[in-house]
Amino acid sequence: MDRAVATHAPDTAHIQQAPRRSRFSSRGRFVAVMLAPATILLLGLTLYPFLASFWYSFTDYSLLKPNDRDFVGLANYVRLLSGSEFWASFRTTATFCALAVGIETLIALGIALLLQAESRGSGLLRAIYMVPMAITPVAATFTFRLIYSPSLGVLNAFLERIGLPPQAWLSDPRMALPALVLVDVWQWTPFILLIIVGGLSVIPAEPLEAAAIDGASGWRLFWDITLPFLRPFLAIAVLFRFIDAFKTFDIIYVLTGGGPGTSTRTLNLFAFKQGIEFLEMGYASSIAILMLIVVTLATRIFVRATRLMTSGES
């Protein structure tokens, strides 16, 4: 009798587990069906354009002859890397990113520390500082276009009030790039500020209080305690802003169009002009692929350097 029960026991367990498996499998099918439209749309809007652009970069595809797409191998990349236009645009892009992200990080860090020290009214100030980030880039760009106007701009009017000569902010090759950096700093400093404020809010008070009791100055408190805690947050903010600044297009296109001359022509604008104005889609695709490679390599180097710094401190 016991043997019979033991013999039938696995069948009973199998019968009890079967509904559970079917329930999980039906839930998985339901999730897959619900996610399928969004997944297909995402792949259609991202994967297919990327693969098409990657293939076009190895062809001589031009909108002047859309039916002729001959495979040319690495000819577009050789032409790109051997020409001076790419390297000039690369230097302009690197300069813009370094100035914009560096200034934004310093300003955001200073404001965040001031907000932490001043508790009264800090919530209202944080809301005010977030306003530039909420404005659409095109609206902010047209506003700065009026501010930079040589005859009607408030910036030149202010310079004349204090006895300084007016400047051709957008038509002078020496002033155009700093003017673009100022627009980017005004709009995206709140993004870094938001991340730094979040980092400051999770710093424990015990190490700061212990160091203050030991007589540490404000600078030592910041350098030895606050900054090490903030380093991961700063790394995230700088990385996100670098990627976003590297592909900046709207403010440059609206304010300067890459000019005067080529003084503000970044890689993004260079690819746009080659593809849309000169209709060389294969050549423009090679620029876009190289931009992706540069961003990927820079991101990996930055992340690796950040990890080494963190592990060295720990």
Side-chain angles (χ1 to χ4, degrees), residues 11-313:
D11 296 334
T12 305
H14 177 73
I15 294 174
Q16 291 177 351
Q17 292 179 1
R20 183 179 301 176
R21 290 200 190 102
S22 62
R23 186 165 58 251
F24 283 133
S25 61
S26 62
R27 180 183 299 176
R29 287 195 298 269
F30 175 76
V31 172
V33 169
M34 296 302 294
L35 292 179
T39 304
I40 295 173
L41 181 63
L42 182 63
L43 292 177
L45 294 177
T46 56
L47 183 61
Y48 173 75
F50 168 73
L51 294 177
S53 179
F54 183 75
W55 166 247
Y56 291 156
S57 67
F58 297 101
T59 66
D60 61 350
Y61 176 38
S62 173
L63 293 180
L64 295 176
K65 46 175 185 177
N67 296 325
D68 297 333
R69 304 178 187 179
D70 297 329
F71 181 78
V72 295
L74 298 175
N76 288 326
Y77 294 96
V78 172
R79 173 189 170 189
L80 191 63
L81 295 175
S82 60
S84 60
E85 293 181 330
F86 171 79
W87 295 109
S89 300
F90 179 80
R91 286 192 298 269
T92 302
T93 305
T95 303
F96 177 82
C97 292
L99 290 176
V101 178
I103 295 173
E104 289 165 10
T105 304
L106 293 176
I107 295 177
L109 182 60
I111 294 176
L113 294 175
L114 291 176
L115 289 176
Q116 185 187 34
E118 180 60 40
S119 59
R120 180 181 299 179
S122 59
L124 178 61
L125 291 176
R126 290 177 188 176
I128 294 175
Y129 288 137
M130 294 299 119
V131 170
M133 192 172 61
I135 300 175
T136 58
V138 175
T141 302
F142 277 104
T143 301
F144 272 91
R145 192 172 183 176
L146 293 175
I147 294 174
Y148 288 144
S149 175
S151 57
L152 303 177
V154 297
L155 193 55
N156 277 342
F158 173 75
L159 292 179
E160 292 179 353
R161 287 265 185 167
I162 62 177
L164 296 177
Q167 302 293 327
W169 297 101
L170 301 178
S171 57
D172 186 350
R174 298 171 301 175
M175 301 298 299
L177 189 61
L180 295 176
V181 171
L182 179 61
V183 179
D184 194 84
V185 168
W186 177 82
Q187 185 158 35
W188 293 112
T189 298
F191 175 79
I192 301 181
L193 174 63
L194 188 64
I195 296 178
I196 294 177
V197 168
L200 289 174
S201 64
V202 300
I203 295 178
E206 291 79 6
L208 294 172
E209 294 174 355
I213 293 174
D214 292 338
S217 62
W219 172 253
R220 299 308 305 178
L221 289 175
F222 168 76
W223 187 259
D224 294 335
I225 299 177
T226 303
L227 188 59
F229 274 105
L230 281 181
R231 185 165 285 119
F233 298 91
L234 288 172
I236 293 173
V238 170
L239 180 60
F240 284 177
R241 276 302 301 137
F242 165 76
I243 296 174
D244 194 44
F246 191 86
K247 59 186 181 66
T248 299
F249 174 81
D250 41 15
I251 66 173
I252 302 175
Y253 183 76
V254 173
L255 289 178
T256 64
T262 59
S263 59
T264 60
R265 187 181 62 185
T266 59
L267 287 175
N268 215 354
L269 204 65
F270 182 37
F272 172 81
K273 287 184 176 293
Q274 294 297 324
I276 303 301
E277 294 187 6
F278 302 145
L279 307 179
E280 297 184 3
M281 298 303 296
Y283 188 53
S285 297
S286 65
I287 302 173
I289 297 300
L290 277 181
M291 288 179 61
L292 177 62
I293 294 173
V294 169
V295 170
T296 303
L297 291 177
T299 301
R300 290 183 64 87
I301 293 173
F302 181 81
V303 171
R304 183 174 178 83
T306 303
R307 287 177 179 174
L308 290 176
M309 292 173 60
T310 306
S311 60
E313 288 183 356

